[in-house]
Amino acid sequence: MTAALPTATRHKVASCVVLLLLLFAPLRALGEGIPILAYHRFDPARAGPTTTTVPVFERQLDWLAAHGYTIVRLRDLFEGWQGRGPAVSGREAVLTVDDGHESVYTYLYPIIRQRHLPVTLFIYPSAISNAPYALTWEQLAEMENSGLVDIQSHTFWHPDFHKERAHRTPQDYRAFVDTQLSRSRAVLEKRLGQPVEMLAWPYGIVDPELEAAAARAGYIAGFAFSGGLARPGADAFAIPRIPVANQMPGSLFAGLLTEATSEK
Ligand SMILES: [Zn+2]
């Protein structure tokens, strides 16, 4: 458990760098697909590289609604693509939030309850009820019991797999990855009582070896940060998401609007 704090510090720095690079990825000319938005933390007024203010978040939601997007559960989108759930119309959007920051409960949860919007949280259990910035198990249970919040895996303690690979033997690295993926599922399922089958890769780091490990650990889908629209039939363990912080909706969604109108 003590690993959560230094990991969190490293995570904050690295995720800022990754997001700053990806936030400016162009959204135009992406073809048909579904925007899966990836948030991290929220604040009433103070924006940051991974922090969305409440007023901007509400404007983003207003924009999506005004342009005909329906917010759906990530699980429903995935099952719809597989023919196991509601048909996908092509005008869906998905909200996901990584890391389990306490601001998810304080600021995001009241908004999604008011608007009745589904959200998927990707959680690394080592931080929960442990790190000072993190949600508690009680908060996660309350949100999941609302029926609006689905809780999925973000590995056990949010490692940087590039760094872990660099200082471990191949056998040790493989065992480490397997433990990070399987222990997260096991703890979340035991604590919250719901199936955990989806995984968001820490820092968006994913490669064929990690994808094979995710399949071995029983996951059915993995999500990255590659900044494009998600499409059916794409690599199920590296589905792109769009990193979102405090962009105004006009700049964040300009490419989506262009695509949507050109498809009609
Ligand atoms: Zn993360």
Side-chain angles (χ1 to χ4, degrees), residues 11 15 39-40 97-100 122 124 154-155 158 200-204 225 241:
H11 171 217
S15 63
Y39 293 86
H40 281 79
V97 187
D98 289 8
D99 296 350
F122 288 106
Y124 59 105
H154 200 28
T155 73
H158 206 292
W201 295 105
Y203 313 108
F225 274 146
R241 293 184 297 163

mmCIF file of all heavy atoms in Angstrom, residues 11 15 39-40 97-100 122 124 154-155 158 200-204 225 241, ligand 1:
data_model
loop_
_atom_site.group_PDB
_atom_site.id
_atom_site.type_symbol
_atom_site.label_atom_id
_atom_site.label_comp_id
_atom_site.label_asym_id
_atom_site.label_seq_id
_atom_site.Cartn_x
_atom_site.Cartn_y
_atom_site.Cartn_z
ATOM 1 N N HIS A 11 3.004 9.723 -11.263
ATOM 2 C CA HIS A 11 1.876 9.687 -12.185
ATOM 3 C C HIS A 11 1.439 11.093 -12.563
ATOM 4 O O HIS A 11 1.199 11.400 -13.717
ATOM 5 C CB HIS A 11 0.729 8.943 -11.509
ATOM 6 C CG HIS A 11 -0.563 9.010 -12.258
ATOM 7 N ND1 HIS A 11 -1.772 9.103 -11.637
ATOM 8 C CD2 HIS A 11 -0.814 9.025 -13.578
ATOM 9 C CE1 HIS A 11 -2.717 9.172 -12.546
ATOM 10 N NE2 HIS A 11 -2.179 9.128 -13.731
ATOM 11 N N SER A 15 1.509 12.156 -16.339
ATOM 12 C CA SER A 15 0.229 12.304 -17.019
ATOM 13 C C SER A 15 0.065 13.715 -17.561
ATOM 14 O O SER A 15 -0.536 13.925 -18.598
ATOM 15 C CB SER A 15 -0.939 11.935 -16.095
ATOM 16 O OG SER A 15 -0.988 12.792 -15.000
ATOM 17 N N TYR A 39 -11.444 11.937 -18.681
ATOM 18 C CA TYR A 39 -11.192 13.003 -17.712
ATOM 19 C C TYR A 39 -10.336 12.458 -16.561
ATOM 20 O O TYR A 39 -10.160 11.241 -16.410
ATOM 21 C CB TYR A 39 -12.511 13.521 -17.131
ATOM 22 C CG TYR A 39 -13.397 14.239 -18.121
ATOM 23 C CD1 TYR A 39 -14.300 13.541 -18.927
ATOM 24 C CD2 TYR A 39 -13.352 15.621 -18.247
ATOM 25 C CE1 TYR A 39 -15.124 14.201 -19.820
ATOM 26 C CE2 TYR A 39 -14.173 16.298 -19.140
ATOM 27 C CZ TYR A 39 -15.064 15.579 -19.921
ATOM 28 O OH TYR A 39 -15.878 16.239 -20.811
ATOM 29 N N HIS A 40 -9.851 13.392 -15.725
ATOM 30 C CA HIS A 40 -9.099 12.982 -14.537
ATOM 31 C C HIS A 40 -9.657 13.588 -13.253
ATOM 32 O O HIS A 40 -10.009 12.889 -12.335
ATOM 33 C CB HIS A 40 -7.609 13.334 -14.683
ATOM 34 C CG HIS A 40 -6.863 12.375 -15.538
ATOM 35 N ND1 HIS A 40 -6.912 12.419 -16.918
ATOM 36 C CD2 HIS A 40 -6.051 11.336 -15.223
ATOM 37 C CE1 HIS A 40 -6.172 11.430 -17.409
ATOM 38 N NE2 HIS A 40 -5.631 10.771 -16.409
ATOM 39 N N VAL A 97 -13.511 8.503 -16.471
ATOM 40 C CA VAL A 97 -12.661 9.294 -15.581
ATOM 41 C C VAL A 97 -11.632 8.353 -14.951
ATOM 42 O O VAL A 97 -12.006 7.351 -14.328
ATOM 43 C CB VAL A 97 -13.476 9.979 -14.468
ATOM 44 C CG1 VAL A 97 -12.578 10.933 -13.672
ATOM 45 C CG2 VAL A 97 -14.667 10.730 -15.036
ATOM 46 N N ASP A 98 -10.361 8.677 -15.091
ATOM 47 C CA ASP A 98 -9.285 7.824 -14.582
ATOM 48 C C ASP A 98 -8.825 8.278 -13.192
ATOM 49 O O ASP A 98 -8.884 9.474 -12.862
ATOM 50 C CB ASP A 98 -8.071 7.893 -15.506
ATOM 51 C CG ASP A 98 -8.301 7.189 -16.836
ATOM 52 O OD1 ASP A 98 -9.436 6.775 -17.109
ATOM 53 O OD2 ASP A 98 -7.321 7.061 -17.596
ATOM 54 N N ASP A 99 -8.343 7.328 -12.413
ATOM 55 C CA ASP A 99 -7.522 7.545 -11.211
ATOM 56 C C ASP A 99 -8.258 7.604 -9.872
ATOM 57 O O ASP A 99 -7.645 7.394 -8.829
ATOM 58 C CB ASP A 99 -6.653 8.816 -11.304
ATOM 59 C CG ASP A 99 -5.606 8.741 -12.404
ATOM 60 O OD1 ASP A 99 -5.422 7.641 -12.965
ATOM 61 O OD2 ASP A 99 -4.997 9.772 -12.690
ATOM 62 N N GLY A 100 -9.551 7.935 -9.863
ATOM 63 C CA GLY A 100 -10.258 7.931 -8.577
ATOM 64 C C GLY A 100 -9.924 9.097 -7.673
ATOM 65 O O GLY A 100 -9.830 8.947 -6.442
ATOM 66 N N PHE A 122 -12.178 4.501 -14.041
ATOM 67 C CA PHE A 122 -11.068 3.549 -14.049
ATOM 68 C C PHE A 122 -10.234 3.795 -12.792
ATOM 69 O O PHE A 122 -9.658 4.871 -12.610
ATOM 70 C CB PHE A 122 -10.237 3.704 -15.317
ATOM 71 C CG PHE A 122 -10.936 3.186 -16.545
ATOM 72 C CD1 PHE A 122 -11.470 4.050 -17.491
ATOM 73 C CD2 PHE A 122 -11.073 1.819 -16.741
ATOM 74 C CE1 PHE A 122 -12.115 3.567 -18.619
ATOM 75 C CE2 PHE A 122 -11.722 1.317 -17.868
ATOM 76 C CZ PHE A 122 -12.252 2.189 -18.812
ATOM 77 N N TYR A 124 -7.397 2.546 -9.693
ATOM 78 C CA TYR A 124 -6.301 1.661 -9.222
ATOM 79 C C TYR A 124 -6.467 1.496 -7.709
ATOM 80 O O TYR A 124 -6.336 2.452 -6.945
ATOM 81 C CB TYR A 124 -4.933 2.136 -9.660
ATOM 82 C CG TYR A 124 -4.459 3.495 -9.242
ATOM 83 C CD1 TYR A 124 -3.499 3.639 -8.242
ATOM 84 C CD2 TYR A 124 -4.913 4.645 -9.867
ATOM 85 C CE1 TYR A 124 -3.018 4.884 -7.878
ATOM 86 C CE2 TYR A 124 -4.451 5.893 -9.505
ATOM 87 C CZ TYR A 124 -3.508 6.006 -8.509
ATOM 88 O OH TYR A 124 -3.043 7.240 -8.138
ATOM 89 N N HIS A 154 -7.780 0.162 -13.513
ATOM 90 C CA HIS A 154 -6.695 1.020 -14.017
ATOM 91 C C HIS A 154 -5.364 0.448 -13.510
ATOM 92 O O HIS A 154 -4.455 1.192 -13.178
ATOM 93 C CB HIS A 154 -6.934 2.438 -13.493
ATOM 94 C CG HIS A 154 -6.237 3.541 -14.235
ATOM 95 N ND1 HIS A 154 -5.909 3.474 -15.571
ATOM 96 C CD2 HIS A 154 -5.809 4.765 -13.816
ATOM 97 C CE1 HIS A 154 -5.325 4.595 -15.934
ATOM 98 N NE2 HIS A 154 -5.230 5.393 -14.892
ATOM 99 N N THR A 155 -5.288 -0.880 -13.448
ATOM 100 C CA THR A 155 -4.221 -1.679 -12.828
ATOM 101 C C THR A 155 -4.269 -1.540 -11.303
ATOM 102 O O THR A 155 -5.135 -0.830 -10.774
ATOM 103 C CB THR A 155 -2.794 -1.337 -13.329
ATOM 104 O OG1 THR A 155 -2.391 -0.083 -12.780
ATOM 105 C CG2 THR A 155 -2.731 -1.330 -14.840
ATOM 106 N N HIS A 158 -1.020 1.551 -10.661
ATOM 107 C CA HIS A 158 -0.737 2.560 -11.673
ATOM 108 C C HIS A 158 0.751 2.647 -12.026
ATOM 109 O O HIS A 158 1.361 3.726 -11.997
ATOM 110 C CB HIS A 158 -1.225 3.937 -11.186
ATOM 111 C CG HIS A 158 -1.552 4.889 -12.300
ATOM 112 N ND1 HIS A 158 -0.592 5.418 -13.135
ATOM 113 C CD2 HIS A 158 -2.722 5.414 -12.711
ATOM 114 C CE1 HIS A 158 -1.179 6.224 -14.004
ATOM 115 N NE2 HIS A 158 -2.466 6.233 -13.773
ATOM 116 N N ALA A 200 -8.243 0.563 -18.272
ATOM 117 C CA ALA A 200 -7.587 1.732 -18.885
ATOM 118 C C ALA A 200 -6.107 1.647 -18.561
ATOM 119 O O ALA A 200 -5.719 1.488 -17.400
ATOM 120 C CB ALA A 200 -8.176 3.030 -18.349
ATOM 121 N N TRP A 201 -5.274 1.763 -19.600
ATOM 122 C CA TRP A 201 -3.823 1.613 -19.416
ATOM 123 C C TRP A 201 -3.255 2.859 -18.742
ATOM 124 O O TRP A 201 -3.478 3.977 -19.224
ATOM 125 C CB TRP A 201 -3.140 1.394 -20.763
ATOM 126 C CG TRP A 201 -3.537 0.123 -21.432
ATOM 127 C CD1 TRP A 201 -4.377 -0.019 -22.510
ATOM 128 C CD2 TRP A 201 -3.144 -1.197 -21.049
ATOM 129 N NE1 TRP A 201 -4.522 -1.341 -22.827
ATOM 130 C CE2 TRP A 201 -3.780 -2.086 -21.943
ATOM 131 C CE3 TRP A 201 -2.323 -1.723 -20.051
ATOM 132 C CZ2 TRP A 201 -3.615 -3.473 -21.875
ATOM 133 C CZ3 TRP A 201 -2.156 -3.091 -19.973
ATOM 134 C CH2 TRP A 201 -2.793 -3.950 -20.873
ATOM 135 N N PRO A 202 -2.492 2.711 -17.647
ATOM 136 C CA PRO A 202 -1.844 3.868 -17.024
ATOM 137 C C PRO A 202 -0.951 4.597 -18.037
ATOM 138 O O PRO A 202 -0.183 3.954 -18.765
ATOM 139 C CB PRO A 202 -1.011 3.251 -15.892
ATOM 140 C CG PRO A 202 -1.701 1.961 -15.582
ATOM 141 C CD PRO A 202 -2.242 1.477 -16.904
ATOM 142 N N TYR A 203 -1.080 5.906 -18.073
ATOM 143 C CA TYR A 203 -0.339 6.766 -19.008
ATOM 144 C C TYR A 203 -0.649 6.423 -20.470
ATOM 145 O O TYR A 203 0.043 6.880 -21.371
ATOM 146 C CB TYR A 203 1.179 6.681 -18.778
ATOM 147 C CG TYR A 203 1.582 6.790 -17.337
ATOM 148 C CD1 TYR A 203 2.047 5.678 -16.647
ATOM 149 C CD2 TYR A 203 1.470 8.003 -16.656
ATOM 150 C CE1 TYR A 203 2.392 5.766 -15.304
ATOM 151 C CE2 TYR A 203 1.814 8.093 -15.323
ATOM 152 C CZ TYR A 203 2.269 6.974 -14.653
ATOM 153 O OH TYR A 203 2.614 7.065 -13.341
ATOM 154 N N GLY A 204 -1.623 5.586 -20.716
ATOM 155 C CA GLY A 204 -1.920 5.169 -22.080
ATOM 156 C C GLY A 204 -0.900 4.229 -22.679
ATOM 157 O O GLY A 204 -0.918 3.971 -23.888
ATOM 158 N N PHE A 225 -4.993 6.398 -24.727
ATOM 159 C CA PHE A 225 -5.158 7.858 -24.780
ATOM 160 C C PHE A 225 -4.858 8.389 -26.165
ATOM 161 O O PHE A 225 -4.438 9.523 -26.298
ATOM 162 C CB PHE A 225 -4.139 8.525 -23.848
ATOM 163 C CG PHE A 225 -4.564 8.665 -22.438
ATOM 164 C CD1 PHE A 225 -3.631 8.572 -21.419
ATOM 165 C CD2 PHE A 225 -5.871 8.919 -22.112
ATOM 166 C CE1 PHE A 225 -3.990 8.718 -20.105
ATOM 167 C CE2 PHE A 225 -6.252 9.064 -20.790
ATOM 168 C CZ PHE A 225 -5.307 8.961 -19.792
ATOM 169 N N ARG A 241 -9.136 6.841 -26.642
ATOM 170 C CA ARG A 241 -9.994 7.805 -25.964
ATOM 171 C C ARG A 241 -9.445 9.208 -26.235
ATOM 172 O O ARG A 241 -8.283 9.359 -26.620
ATOM 173 C CB ARG A 241 -10.018 7.555 -24.447
ATOM 174 C CG ARG A 241 -10.684 6.249 -24.071
ATOM 175 C CD ARG A 241 -10.768 6.091 -22.563
ATOM 176 N NE ARG A 241 -9.439 6.037 -21.977
ATOM 177 C CZ ARG A 241 -9.192 6.218 -20.684
ATOM 178 N NH1 ARG A 241 -10.175 6.494 -19.848
ATOM 179 N NH2 ARG A 241 -7.953 6.133 -20.224
HETATM 180 ZN ZN ZN B 1 -4.136 7.233 -14.593
#
